[in-house]
Amino acid sequence: TGNKKRGAVKQKRSGSNDGSTKSGSSSSVVPYILGDRLDKGATLLQIKGHVVRISKDKDGSRFIQQRLDYLADPAHNVASSNEELNLVFSEAMSSIEDLWYDAYGNFILQKLLDHGTEDMKAELGDRVHADVVSLSNKVYGCRVVQKALDALPKGQVAKLVSAFEGRVLPFIHDRNGNHVIQKSIIVISNFAKQAREGERCEEMASFFLESLDPIINEVIRDMEGLSRHPYGCRVVQRMVEYCIEPQKSRILDSIIAHHNLLVDDQYGNYVFQRSLSYGRVQDREAILETFLGGNNVVRMSMRKLASNVVEMMIKHGNEYERQTLVQEMLNSTCVDQRGNTLSAVVAMSMDAYANYVVKTAMDFTENSHQRDQLFGVLVSHLNELEEIPFAK
């Protein structure tokens, strides 16, 4: 997020460490399934007794996934579809620990969550719930948990999310677990929104909100630290984007309370920007006050990260907020290295970061008088500005 570069946190995908079978090692068992010899007419019944071993092979896993997709399509109406599905489910559940941490085997469990019967999903969901802590911290296990959050019945999803209580912060700090928390926020918030707005059932909406409260509470208790954390800032942004009332107001209140520390932080500024995009009028008003007086808007605009926030205020603020910020720019002055007093607009146009704020102000200012003032100041210093790369 954001419109300037920052050091993105890359999450490496580590391979399975549980002895996953390499491609081709099961060829002696089912030669017609693997590699170039894949038999398009093969059924899952032909691999009876070898589902787990083949699931852990790259080509074998792909074959099972494609077959399950094919069987799930009503247009195909395969007579053996139930028998094949039951076979895969039975063998997969008997060795589920071998699959959900495996690079290829985890996809079979995801497909069973997609295409399994309600009873199958319930049983698989119970197993995921029992091991959700260890699964959420593993690179492939966390994918199974995220699929479960998407595919299980709403009540079982709420139960699964409740298992994170008291463990939210360790999950958020984890390179894999933070994705599970993000998914939980999105899914449960959407359930609550649908119950309130679509089904007009406030009781059901409250049920889902209560299941999410443990996550909300733990995040708010460490809002500053999480907003300035590479993974934590993602979780807070998902909350701002997806949570509904009253949780959303609690989150925004906590963010605004720490705004002085977040506005120029390498991660916190992105939380701040989300608050401007998805927040309330009072949030923007509180932020606007911090930009007024003392050349604050100029100083913030000349900082790499804080300048993004000033731009967002101009873009997403209402007409009054936008006019107030632009007028602050027009009224302010700066002193250059030689001691000369310059218009803040000119000084900002020469700056590596603030020049973006000036351009944004020119693009979004609706007040014709202010726009004319901006152009007038720039034109009157055209010769100086033409020599500055950032001002061109």
Side-chain angles (χ1 to χ4, degrees):
T1 56
N3 58 353
K4 296 185 178 69
K5 295 180 180 178
R6 72 171 174 93
V9 179
K10 296 183 179 179
Q11 298 191 22
K12 296 180 181 179
R13 294 185 175 181
S14 58
S16 172
N17 59 0
D18 62 353
S20 298
T21 309
K22 298 296 183 181
S23 179
S25 63
S26 58
S27 59
S28 62
V29 180
V30 278
Y32 50 83
I33 285 178
L34 302 177
D36 297 332
R37 295 168 291 178
L38 179 64
D39 181 356
K40 298 297 183 183
T43 73
L44 297 173
L45 299 180
Q46 293 171 271
I47 60 170
K48 184 176 181 180
H50 305 290
V51 168
V52 173
R53 186 174 182 182
I54 293 169
S55 295
K56 295 167 69 175
D57 175 273
K58 180 179 179 180
D59 296 314
S61 176
R62 183 182 295 113
F63 162 71
I64 296 175
Q65 291 175 64
Q66 291 174 346
R67 183 63 179 174
L68 290 174
D69 285 337
Y70 182 86
L71 296 174
D73 188 343
H76 295 141
N77 193 26
V78 179
S80 63
S81 60
N82 288 338
E83 188 179 1
E84 292 186 55
L85 178 61
N86 286 330
L87 170 69
V88 174
F89 179 77
S90 176
E91 295 194 22
M93 290 300 291
S94 68
S95 300
I96 192 170
E97 295 86 356
D98 287 339
L99 296 181
W100 57 24
Y101 295 134
D102 186 77
Y104 306 119
N106 80 91
F107 290 111
I108 305 306
L109 298 178
Q110 292 188 53
K111 286 298 179 183
L112 289 172
L113 284 165
D114 278 333
H115 303 315
T117 65
E118 293 305 311
D119 288 342
M120 290 177 181
K121 291 182 180 181
E123 184 178 344
L124 186 48
D126 287 341
R127 290 300 305 273
V128 171
H129 180 270
D131 289 87
V132 70
V133 174
S134 59
L135 283 169
S136 297
N137 289 328
K138 300 295 191 299
V139 65
Y140 302 119
C142 78
R143 300 178 189 181
V144 176
V145 178
Q146 290 177 76
K147 174 58 73 171
L149 291 169
D150 272 334
L152 292 176
K154 294 179 180 179
Q156 201 166 11
V157 170
K159 177 184 176 183
L160 188 60
V161 172
S162 69
F164 302 141
E165 185 169 2
R167 305 182 179 96
V168 174
L169 295 187
F171 279 145
I172 292 176
H173 289 138
D174 184 76
R175 59 185 292 193
N176 302 309
N178 81 89
H179 294 292
V180 174
I181 299 298
Q182 290 184 64
K183 174 65 77 170
S184 299
I185 292 164
I186 294 170
V187 172
I188 294 293
S189 294
N190 284 338
F191 286 169
K193 184 177 182 180
Q194 182 182 1
R196 175 177 290 170
E197 299 179 4
E199 301 167 9
R200 303 293 181 181
C201 182
E202 190 60 32
E203 182 179 357
M204 185 60 69
S206 296
F207 167 76
F208 290 124
L209 291 175
E210 287 172 7
S211 71
L212 192 58
D213 268 340
I215 294 178
I216 303 296
N217 294 339
E218 289 191 49
V219 169
I220 287 177
R221 282 197 291 269
D222 190 27
M223 180 60 77
E224 178 197 337
L226 290 174
S227 295
R228 301 172 74 177
H229 186 274
Y231 303 147
C233 74
R234 302 174 186 177
V235 172
V236 178
Q237 288 179 74
R238 299 298 85 75
M239 287 182 168
V240 173
E241 292 166 354
Y242 289 94
C243 284
I244 64 173
E245 296 298 343
Q247 291 175 341
K248 185 169 185 176
S249 286
R250 292 178 60 207
I251 294 159
L252 289 168
D253 288 343
S254 182
I255 292 170
I256 295 303
H258 297 95
H259 72 272
N260 287 329
L261 296 171
L262 302 183
V263 66
D264 201 30
D265 183 80
Q266 63 175 328
Y267 302 115
N269 86 95
Y270 296 105
V271 170
F272 214 62
Q273 289 182 59
R274 277 292 186 274
S275 300
L276 291 175
S277 301
Y278 293 85
R280 306 157 298 185
V281 172
Q282 67 228 52
D283 301 321
R284 295 198 303 272
E285 290 175 346
I287 296 166
L288 180 63
E289 288 299 317
T290 67
F291 289 153
L292 303 181
N295 266 15
N296 282 343
V297 69
V298 180
R299 288 190 298 103
M300 291 291 188
S301 297
M302 290 183 173
R303 297 178 184 173
K304 178 178 180 180
L305 301 171
S307 64
N308 290 329
V309 178
V310 182
E311 284 187 70
M312 291 293 284
M313 276 292 293
I314 295 173
K315 291 178 181 179
H316 295 280
N318 58 35
E319 186 176 355
Y320 166 76
E321 293 160 351
R322 190 176 296 115
Q323 286 184 17
T324 302
L325 274 177
V326 173
Q327 196 60 50
E328 188 76 7
M329 292 164 55
L330 289 167
N331 293 342
S332 299
T333 58
C334 296
V335 178
D336 65 16
Q337 294 177 341
R338 292 172 292 183
N340 299 321
T341 300
L342 287 176
S343 161
V345 173
V346 175
M348 291 168 68
S349 299
M350 296 177 174
D351 184 76
Y353 307 116
N355 77 89
Y356 291 103
V357 176
V358 176
K359 292 172 184 174
T360 300
M362 292 168 66
D363 288 338
F364 285 85
T365 297
E366 299 169 351
N367 184 293
S368 58
H369 177 64
Q370 284 188 329
R371 192 186 301 110
D372 289 344
Q373 284 184 286
L374 285 171
F375 276 104
V377 171
L378 295 173
V379 169
S380 66
H381 293 80
L382 190 60
N383 292 335
E384 303 165 60
L385 293 174
E386 284 182 334
E387 298 178 4
I388 308 297
F390 304 119
K392 293 182 178 179

